[in-house]
Amino acid sequence: MKIKTAFIFAAPEADSKIHRATIDTPSVNITVVGVKNYNEAVTVALDLVSQGITAIELCAGFGNEGIALISKAVKGKAAVGAVKFDYHPGLNFKSGDEVFS
């Protein structure tokens, strides 16, 4: 059975309508989407779940608050996981909670 998954990354200048790609393998279909902030990430996560995504991985740019927002938004309709840095090297060693919320 093929699983439909997503990876959401946060970058200040990302636009979820254009910064996205889908990779389809025999066992996994993964959609990668860039978002500019947590509000956009919630909207994207809800849209992905409505398309049948059952697992969402969040990039290390999401801090604890961002991870919690996505988990609450999808309300168990998708498993939510996260790559984690306490302070992201690509964000001048700040948490995504400082940058994207």
Side-chain angles (χ1 to χ4, degrees):
M1 176 197 289
K2 185 182 282 195
I3 184 171
K4 290 180 73 174
T5 67
F7 180 79
I8 301 174
F9 68 93
E13 296 172 355
D15 179 339
S16 63
K17 291 182 180 26
I18 60 174
H19 298 119
R20 62 173 54 224
T22 299
I23 301 166
D24 193 20
T25 75
S27 59
V28 177
N29 176 295
I30 183 166
T31 299
V32 179
V33 183
V35 298
K36 67 181 172 231
N37 57 42
Y38 288 171
N39 288 334
E40 187 175 26
V42 167
T43 300
V44 166
L46 290 170
D47 182 54
L48 291 167
V49 168
S50 76
Q51 296 174 35
I53 297 293
T54 59
I56 298 172
E57 183 80 23
L58 303 172
C59 82
F62 283 81
N64 295 327
E65 294 171 20
I67 296 166
L69 281 172
I70 301 304
S71 294
K72 288 177 185 175
V74 301
K75 297 179 184 158
K77 294 177 184 165
V80 177
V83 176
K84 194 73 175 103
F85 291 113
D86 286 335
Y87 299 98
H88 196 292
L91 300 174
N92 294 319
F93 295 96
K94 294 180 181 176
S95 167
D97 293 342
E98 295 175 61
V99 177
F100 299 113
S101 47

